[in-house]
Amino acid sequence: MLPVRSYAPLAPLGRRRRLPDLLCSENGSNQHHSTARLLPRSTVYALRLRGSRRRGQSRKTPAGEIVSLIASLGVETVPLYRYKIVPPSGFGEFALDVCCAESKVGRLFGRTANLFESAIVRLSKDGCFREALESFQYMKSLRIKPTKFMLCSILNSCSKAPDIFLGLQIHAHIVQSGYAENVFIGAQLLDLYSKSGAMEDARKVFDCMGEHDHVSWTSIMSGFSQNGCGAEAVLSFRKMLNTDIRPNCHTFATIISACKWLEAASQVGPSLHALVIKFGFKPNSFVISSLIDFYSKHGEIDQALELFENSFEKDVILYNSIMSGYSQNMLGEEALKLFLEMQEKDVVPTVFTLATLLNCCGSLALLQLGKQMHSLIVKFGWERNVAVGGSLIDMYSKCASIDDACRSFDFASERNNIMWTSMITGYAQNGRGLESLKLFNKFLEEGGKPDNVCFTTVLTACNHAGLLDKANCYFKLMTGKYGLVPELDQYACMIDLYGRTGHLREAKEAMENMPFEPNAVLWSSFLGSCKTYCETKFGREAAMKLFKIEPNSAAPYITLANTLAEVGMWNEVAEVRRMMKSKGVRKGTSWSWIEVDNMIHVFCASDKSHPKSPEIYEELDKVNVRVREGS
DNA sequence: CTAGGGTTAG
């Protein structure tokens, strides 16, 4: 069975160039037209074959059509005579057809493999990974031995399709045919394993490679980075610096983006930035963009902006990263302004641009603008893209337009983890906890593999609906069947839920037994639950922790005082008040307002530059005016 | 005689 049945539309063939005699010079006698000699006889034969069987009525080989076809292939067909056709983009299927035709004629020489190679390389370069893999399988069924270039390209398709099983088979084949030490193939294998999360195997491949070049170093670092192993990535980078191999732009882009996983990121990032400058090469937009990304993730949006402003050529990658930086730092409006600037400067947006903009629309709850972006996406023909689909769902559910989110979800032809998670989150955020859980179960039924973020959402949904038993089940499912290591977020969710449902002892135990140090948010939520259930003993402990973690916050004092007041322990309440006063903790660290003589005075207590705030405090102490927490 | 790695969404 031929893997490709129908032709991609072969038009436009452009203006038909008349080259009739080219095809006739099979003996190579026509010296005037060099192209003619470059066409292999078998290929011409294949083309003829193709022409003749195309339509029943036109038996007489539409030579003109074939000629224009060849002509439309352009200059790149020149090396055809060496069987080195890398046809122009979009001609993968056509090239494959030539191969199939040739193999049908019975010319199963070694060079047929070369023809297949070019077809497969083209298909994989054009992003037709599945087609490339099918062609490879077909070629194998003809018992044609793959070339090493083809293996390289097919491994690339394996990691992008993705088809890990075929990848494993090919790896076996590679070991058999002794290509295992080839650096190109090694880099692809590394990529395959690290993209499928098998870092141990990737590491083995790396260790087994005969020699390493800068690409294999970069690949292993990128693998570590993609799998969240920032420390290993940095370690590899240091090892690399000890060799003769010098890092280049790719290396820096990778290692800078690996920084986000590190505890000590805020120190490593700037020193890598310094190293980029020290190495003295002109950083390209990928390097700058990963730096922008780094700085904006650490809240240093000014640094990021400076990098952006100082860049000579602002391409779409730089725009994307600074816009995403703005969006992460709650500066959505700035991002939207930049989009206008982009359009003025004729910078063509990509799917990432639109995904980022949708994110801004979502966090600013700008439904109308979001819808405009949606129409733009339709116009560009990107509505089926998974990244855009995920952002659409997110935008609509943040704008409380859950039906639209649903529509986007249903419309998607392919759904990845993020789309499912977005939709599940969407339901949960819009108060539809049960539907959220229903969808999650459907996700599991369809064989989805939820990750930590997904489970956090599910547990949050359980939390809002007060479903402790369900949450327990899901938590077990997460650690058991799906083998995930719970993060602080998931523990926090469970502990919060235990607290809310009055299981304070379990909450306390969970906090003590989890492998993380409970943070202020966790203690505050626990303290809140203690207040609800009038649990003074635990409440006091929680408050004591909070006094240490957040010495300037008045909230724990007040909650503790309220808890004690609830059960009538007035002496203890007074003690808390005294403690608060002696430590100089003041109520209202955020915006507050007071009423004096029917006038409302608004001030920010923590804002020392505000001239009025100390005076207002003095005033407050004198007249004992009621203070209300502002927002 | 060709080939490989880098920015992004929950």
Side-chain angles (χ1 to χ4, degrees):
Chain A
M1 189 190 76
L2 295 182
V4 178
R5 297 268 95 203
S6 61
Y7 295 102
L10 290 174
L13 296 179
R15 194 182 294 162
R16 293 195 167 197
R17 269 194 274 157
R18 288 191 56 78
L19 302 163
D21 42 353
L22 295 188
L23 278 174
C24 306
S25 56
E26 290 183 16
N27 53 7
S29 64
N30 196 335
Q31 296 296 319
H32 305 294
H33 303 280
S34 54
T35 333
R37 283 179 292 110
L38 301 181
L39 291 172
R41 198 184 297 184
S42 55
T43 305
V44 173
Y45 187 23
L47 287 167
R48 274 208 179 132
L49 195 80
R50 187 187 163 273
S52 61
R53 79 181 167 159
R54 195 154 180 233
R55 265 184 224 97
Q57 71 269 37
S58 57
R59 281 258 128 201
K60 46 171 185 170
T61 308
E65 193 184 345
I66 294 171
V67 168
S68 49
L69 237 163
I70 294 171
S72 71
L73 289 179
V75 252
E76 285 195 55
T77 40
V78 169
L80 208 76
Y81 77 110
R82 285 183 188 155
Y83 301 99
K84 197 179 82 176
I85 335 161
V86 176
S89 184
F91 277 89
E93 289 199 3
F94 169 68
L96 181 67
D97 211 56
V98 172
C99 303
C100 295
E102 177 149 298
S103 57
K104 270 211 158 173
V105 182
R107 293 170 167 271
L108 296 176
F109 303 131
R111 63 187 182 196
T112 314
N114 290 322
L115 279 172
F116 268 106
E117 177 188 297
S118 42
I120 289 172
V121 167
R122 183 73 264 165
L123 284 170
S124 135
K125 271 192 184 169
D126 285 349
C128 310
F129 306 119
R130 288 249 76 95
E131 288 82 354
L133 295 184
E134 278 170 26
S135 323
F136 181 75
Q137 300 280 26
Y138 172 65
M139 191 202 77
K140 270 201 343 194
S141 75
L142 295 175
R143 300 184 186 288
I144 298 171
K145 203 169 162 272
T147 65
K148 57 180 169 185
F149 298 106
M150 186 193 298
L151 287 173
C152 211
S153 173
I154 208 73
L155 278 173
N156 196 328
S157 301
C158 280
S159 57
K160 284 181 183 142
D163 189 339
I164 179 76
F165 296 108
L166 184 60
L168 288 171
Q169 284 177 39
I170 294 172
H171 190 177
H173 183 92
I174 285 165
V175 174
Q176 238 177 7
S177 46
Y179 288 139
E181 296 203 354
N182 182 307
V183 277
F184 290 94
I185 290 183
Q188 286 297 347
L189 277 173
L190 271 179
D191 200 47
L192 173 76
Y193 284 121
S194 49
K195 283 219 168 63
S196 41
M199 266 333 277
E200 277 310 304
D201 296 302
R203 201 196 290 257
K204 263 183 221 159
V205 169
F206 184 78
D207 292 339
C208 290
M209 283 166 75
E211 50 174 349
H212 299 127
D213 62 357
H214 52 268
V215 179
S216 46
W217 278 110
T218 310
S219 299
I220 191 84
M221 283 188 243
S222 147
F224 281 131
S225 168
Q226 281 160 21
N227 288 285
C229 316
E232 282 88 344
V234 175
L235 204 68
S236 305
F237 183 66
R238 296 192 58 157
K239 278 191 201 153
M240 178 187 179
L241 290 182
N242 285 333
T243 65
D244 291 336
I245 317 289
R246 292 297 85 188
N248 63 2
C249 287
H250 293 265
T251 327
F252 274 111
T254 307
I255 196 68
I256 293 167
S257 79
C259 257
K260 59 175 171 262
W261 302 104
L262 296 176
E263 292 271 318
S266 44
Q267 286 110 53
V268 181
S271 54
L272 284 171
H273 187 178
L275 213 56
V276 171
I277 297 165
K278 198 178 154 194
F279 267 86
F281 56 75
K282 190 171 161 277
N284 64 5
S285 22
F286 284 109
V287 178
I288 303 287
S289 119
S290 49
L291 280 170
I292 289 179
D293 191 49
F294 168 80
Y295 283 119
S296 38
K297 275 209 171 64
H298 285 82
E300 295 180 49
I301 190 73
D302 295 339
Q303 271 278 1
L305 192 62
E306 202 184 318
L307 275 165
F308 177 75
E309 294 290 345
N310 290 338
S311 296
F312 209 60
E313 288 167 23
K314 291 178 187 132
D315 61 4
V316 66
I317 298 172
L318 288 181
Y319 271 106
N320 284 352
S321 21
I322 191 73
M323 279 160 70
S324 137
Y326 274 137
S327 152
Q328 282 164 25
N329 286 277
M330 311 305 270
L331 296 162
E333 284 113 336
E334 297 298 318
L336 294 172
K337 274 185 211 157
L338 271 184
F339 182 57
L340 297 180
E341 190 188 309
M342 254 179 93
Q343 285 180 319
E344 264 168 37
K345 294 191 177 167
D346 286 332
V347 180
V348 184
T350 67
V351 281
F352 295 141
T353 322
L354 269 298
T356 308
L357 288 169
L358 283 175
N359 196 323
C360 298
C361 295
S363 42
L364 296 169
L366 298 171
L367 182 59
Q368 287 310 314
L369 194 63
K371 283 192 170 168
Q372 285 183 35
M373 295 290 169
H374 192 164
S375 4
L376 208 58
I377 287 163
V378 174
K379 196 175 148 192
F380 279 117
W382 291 335
E383 28 179 0
R384 291 196 180 262
N385 179 289
V386 276
V388 164
S391 308
L392 272 174
I393 296 171
D394 187 49
M395 184 275 291
Y396 279 126
S397 54
K398 279 196 182 125
C399 294
S401 186
I402 194 79
D403 293 335
D404 285 314
C406 235
R407 216 166 294 142
S408 297
F409 182 75
D410 291 337
F411 183 74
S413 50
E414 183 191 351
R415 290 169 193 151
N416 63 1
N417 257 3
I418 294 179
M419 289 190 77
W420 280 99
T421 311
S422 306
M423 197 61 234
I424 295 168
T425 315
Y427 277 128
Q429 280 172 349
N430 285 275
R432 303 200 194 177
L434 291 177
E435 275 166 272
S436 165
L437 295 181
K438 223 166 105 187
L439 191 67
F440 178 65
N441 284 326
K442 200 175 158 211
F443 178 46
L444 296 184
E445 278 164 24
E446 292 193 8
K449 292 214 165 29
D451 61 4
N452 278 323
V453 182
C454 191
F455 271 109
T456 309
T457 288
V458 171
L459 293 177
T460 312
C462 292
N463 196 344
H464 286 311
L467 304 166
L468 179 61
D469 294 340
K470 277 224 156 117
N472 256 326
C473 283
Y474 287 129
F475 195 84
K476 281 199 190 104
L477 197 68
M478 172 172 75
T479 50
K481 186 174 173 192
Y482 294 99
L484 294 169
V485 181
E487 292 164 356
L488 182 62
D489 280 347
Q490 284 106 46
Y491 281 112
C493 222
M494 289 307 292
I495 291 162
D496 192 53
L497 183 51
Y498 274 126
R500 274 171 196 277
T501 49
H503 299 76
L504 295 171
R505 181 164 298 282
E506 285 89 338
K508 184 89 194 320
E509 277 168 15
M511 260 203 282
E512 280 160 0
N513 294 332
M514 71 173 183
F516 299 95
E517 201 56 39
N519 59 15
V521 178
L522 211 42
W523 281 118
S524 308
S525 106
F526 182 64
L527 179 59
S529 303
C530 290
K531 179 179 165 268
T532 313
Y533 292 95
C534 303
E535 171 52 67
T536 49
K537 185 168 156 281
F538 288 157
R540 193 187 288 270
E541 278 179 49
M544 291 300 169
K545 291 277 183 196
L546 281 166
F547 296 161
K548 269 189 205 145
I549 305 174
E550 291 184 321
N552 292 320
S553 168
Y557 289 95
I558 295 161
T559 315
L560 178 61
N562 286 339
T563 313
L564 296 166
E566 205 72 43
V567 291
M569 298 165 76
W570 296 107
N571 290 336
E572 285 80 358
V573 172
E575 196 194 320
V576 172
R577 285 261 166 87
R578 266 200 303 281
M579 253 167 84
M580 200 173 158
K581 201 148 199 174
S582 73
K583 296 229 173 107
V585 181
R586 290 207 140 129
K587 238 175 160 182
T589 44
S590 56
W591 288 97
S592 301
W593 70 89
I594 58 169
E595 295 170 34
V596 182
D597 303 334
N598 290 330
M599 290 274 288
I600 295 175
H601 299 257
V602 180
F603 64 97
C604 177
S606 58
D607 182 8
K608 294 282 180 273
S609 65
H610 196 295
K612 281 230 164 134
S613 67
E615 292 154 34
I616 286 176
Y617 263 123
E618 277 164 30
E619 195 75 13
L620 198 68
D621 283 345
K622 254 186 273 167
V623 294
N624 200 17
V625 186
R626 201 154 50 96
V627 180
R628 278 189 278 164
E629 297 290 317
S631 56

